[in-house]
Amino acid sequence: VQAFWHPDGQSLLYIDKPGPDQPAGLWSVDLNAGPPVLYTEKVGLYSKDMQYRAFLSGEVTSIERLADGQTWPILNDGRAVVFSPDGEWLAWTAGQSGPPFDSARREIWAGRVDGSQARPLLPLYSGGVIDWFPDGRLLLVSGRIDPSAVDQSLFSLAFDPDSQPAPIDELLQTGRLNLLAQGNRVRGASLSPDGGYLAYQI
C-alpha cells in the first residue's frame, strides 16, 4: 500500500509484508527488471529526498535524520506531518480530529524539523494541510474559513519563516491566503510537479 516514487525516479517504494517469513517494511521495485527487494524496515512518512522520516511515538510525532539516527520530538499530539521540499520545515493540522467533521475547528501549523519555531499559521473548519508547493513558499490547504459555508475550499497559504500569525481578513487582503477552488466535497487535491496546476475531485 501507499506506493510512492523514490527521489531518483528509477524505482517505486511501497509498504508490504510479502510473506510470513519476510519482514514488513518499505519494499522497492525497479522500473527495469528484477524482483521486489526490502528497502528498509523503518515505516513512516519520508521527506521527498528520503533524508528524514516521521513516525508516531506515543502521542508525539518523532522526526529521525536517517544519516545519523538523531531524532527530535514534535509536540503535535502525534499528527501526520508534511515535509517541505527542502526537508527543513514541517506542516501539520492541529485541533479537533473527530466528528462533527464538517465543522471541526482546526489550525494549520508549521515548524522546523527539529521542533523549533513551531507556530500556528491559519485557523479553519474541517480540512487541513495537503502539501507544499515545489518552491516551499506556499502551502496547499483545504477547509472552510466560515463555519456556515456549505462548500469546501482549496487555498494557497503563503509561508514565510519570519512571519507572524495574522487574522484571516488580513491574510486575504494581503494576498497571503488565496482561494484556488471551491465545490461540494472537494477531495483528492494534487499539485503538478512544477506547482502550476492543481487537480481535484468534487
Side-chain angles (χ1 to χ4, degrees), residues 67-197:
D68 57 10
Q70 184 171 356
T71 61
W72 300 277
I74 308 298
L75 305 179
N76 66 352
D77 295 325
R79 303 300 179 95
V81 297
V82 183
F83 288 91
S84 64
D86 63 6
E88 295 299 316
W89 291 86
L90 305 168
W92 64 89
T93 305
Q96 183 180 346
S97 58
F101 296 102
D102 288 346
S103 59
R105 174 78 172 178
R106 295 174 181 163
E107 284 184 322
I108 305 299
W109 279 63
R112 289 195 176 274
V113 292
D114 62 1
S116 63
Q117 298 185 38
R119 62 189 184 278
L121 302 178
L122 176 71
L124 45 70
Y125 296 89
S126 74
V129 64
I130 298 173
D131 202 357
W132 294 80
F133 280 73
D135 62 4
R137 297 171 60 185
L138 293 170
L139 283 161
L140 176 63
V141 302
S142 69
R144 299 178 176 88
I145 57 177
D146 180 354
S148 64
V150 175
D151 288 340
Q152 188 89 351
S153 300
L154 295 172
F155 299 93
S156 64
L157 173 63
F159 175 73
D160 180 348
D162 299 319
S163 67
Q164 297 299 317
I168 289 179
D169 289 345
E170 181 180 329
L171 294 175
L172 290 168
Q173 291 170 3
T174 58
R176 292 167 59 190
L177 181 67
N178 283 292
L179 177 65
L180 301 178
Q182 197 170 54
N184 185 19
R185 295 184 64 196
V186 172
R187 60 195 186 280
S190 178
L191 287 166
S192 62
D194 65 356
Y197 288 88

Side-chain angles (χ1 to χ4, degrees), residues 2 4 15 26 42-46 53-56:
Q2 298 182 18
F4 61 97
I15 300 173
L26 275 183
K42 294 182 175 182
V43 176
L45 299 173
Y46 283 80
R53 177 178 72 108
F55 59 96
L56 186 62

Side-chain angles (χ1 to χ4, degrees), residues 6-74:
H6 189 277
D8 64 11
Q10 298 303 304
S11 61
L12 199 65
L13 299 171
Y14 57 94
I15 300 173
D16 198 9
K17 179 177 172 57
D21 298 327
Q22 294 174 295
L26 275 183
W27 287 73
S28 172
V29 60
D30 190 88
L31 290 184
N32 298 315
V37 296
L38 180 66
Y39 183 82
T40 178
E41 293 186 37
K42 294 182 175 182
V43 176
L45 299 173
Y46 283 80
S47 60
K48 289 179 171 60
D49 59 7
M50 302 295 289
Q51 299 301 306
Y52 293 93
R53 177 178 72 108
F55 59 96
L56 186 62
S57 178
E59 296 184 354
V60 173
T61 299
S62 294
I63 306 299
E64 178 187 12
R65 186 167 58 200
L66 300 181
D68 57 10
Q70 184 171 356
T71 61
W72 300 277
I74 308 298

